[in-house]
Amino acid sequence: NAGVTQTPKFQVLKTGQSMTLQCAQDMNHNSMYWYRQDPGMGLRLIYYSASEGTTDKGEVPNGYNVSRLNKREFSLRLESAAPSQTSVYFCASNWGGAGTEAFFGQGTRLTVV
Amino acid sequence: AQTVTQSQPEMSVQEAETVTLSCTYDTSESDYYLFWYKQPPSRQMILVIRQEAYKQQNATENRFSVNFQKAAKSFSLKISDSQLGDAAMYFCAYSQGGSEKLVFGKGTKLTVNP
């Protein structure tokens, strides 16, 4: 079982460049999430999608856009990358509703120089 | 907004000993869920244990158990018979009833010494 798959696993961008992080899940989950992890900060929610066709802002949405392409896929786009967006990005999914286990991808380490 | 606080940035334990990781949270809600996630060096986030706020009984999963003190808003994780494979970052997380969102603490890095 693949679970949650993120691509790429590593990326280096120059300031001002754009890129899209891809995420796909094969568990038929309703909800999908994007988090960023920074040293000493834990995981902070960027955007989430409770169902296909809906997206909502999380704690730190500035500088990001998302697309819930279909039930399986949820992408995160950086339009103009900044050094402050250097981080490890995690995609996660679950059935939705409080209390359900979230399943995570293996993360994307992004460095913006 | 709900907050989750892990006051121990780092902890260490001897192999086969017991260690307790602390977590406190702030909420005015009565319906919520609490989680402990483990992140080993591989970066893969793994659910360790989950607690429903309406349940008085503390959750247990093999060597992992929690001490859930609802009035004190405390949710500590006890790892018994620590193993080298338990070395990881541990994150406490909160989810409010009716919401899909998880709010994480900043994590505790656990080192297991042989």
Side-chain angles (χ1 to χ4, degrees):
Chain A
N1 291 333
V4 180
T5 303
Q6 290 182 235
T7 55
K9 288 187 170 47
F10 301 93
Q11 183 71 47
V12 178
L13 287 179
K14 294 182 178 179
T15 297
Q17 285 185 318
S18 62
M19 79 161 294
T20 299
L21 280 63
Q22 306 286 353
C23 175
Q25 52 90 9
D26 63 0
M27 295 172 281
N28 202 34
H29 285 165
N30 295 316
S31 298
M32 298 185 73
Y33 310 82
W34 278 105
Y35 287 89
R36 61 177 287 173
Q37 182 180 16
D38 302 292
M41 297 297 291
L43 280 80
R44 292 180 292 170
L45 183 64
I46 305 171
Y47 270 93
Y48 69 101
S49 170
S51 62
E52 184 179 352
T54 67
T55 60
D56 285 287
K57 295 179 181 179
E59 181 184 355
V60 288
N62 291 345
Y64 305 95
N65 287 301
V66 291
S67 295
R68 182 75 182 266
L69 304 171
N70 48 54
K71 192 170 186 179
R72 289 187 65 248
E73 298 172 288
F74 188 39
S75 62
L76 178 71
R77 183 161 178 84
L78 287 69
E79 290 290 352
S80 179
S84 61
Q85 294 177 306
T86 293
S87 188
V88 179
Y89 291 85
F90 285 93
C91 178
S93 72
N94 64 12
W95 289 108
T100 55
E101 178 182 356
F103 293 82
F104 287 79
Q106 287 203 293
T108 296
R109 181 175 293 277
L110 175 66
T111 302
V112 183
V113 298
Chain B
Q2 288 79 18
T3 57
V4 177
T5 302
Q6 294 180 248
S7 60
Q8 306 152 317
E10 297 188 24
M11 293 280 286
S12 63
V13 63
Q14 292 296 125
E15 196 175 3
E17 297 294 311
T18 296
V19 64
T20 298
L21 308 183
S22 300
C23 173
T24 59
Y25 58 95
D26 183 24
T27 184
S28 58
E29 304 294 329
S30 59
D31 179 21
Y32 56 87
Y33 300 79
L34 297 163
F35 306 80
W36 280 98
Y37 279 86
K38 170 186 177 181
Q39 185 182 44
S42 67
R43 287 202 317 235
Q44 184 67 55
M45 295 284 287
I46 304 163
L47 178 66
V48 175
I49 201 164
R50 184 185 79 164
Q51 175 80 43
E52 295 90 338
Y54 64 85
K55 287 189 177 179
Q56 292 186 333
Q57 186 174 4
N58 290 327
T60 62
E61 288 287 343
N62 301 312
R63 297 182 296 107
F64 298 87
S65 62
V66 298
N67 184 5
F68 174 45
Q69 300 289 328
K70 191 171 184 178
K73 296 181 183 177
S74 171
F75 183 61
S76 60
L77 175 69
K78 185 172 81 171
I79 306 174
S80 304
D81 185 26
S82 296
Q83 301 176 359
L84 295 177
D86 295 333
M89 286 290 291
Y90 286 82
F91 293 97
C92 181
Y94 166 99
S95 174
Q96 181 179 318
S99 170
E100 296 84 3
K101 294 186 288 184
L102 273 174
V103 177
F104 285 87
K106 294 183 178 181
T108 296
K109 182 179 181 181
L110 178 66
T111 301
V112 181
N113 300 310

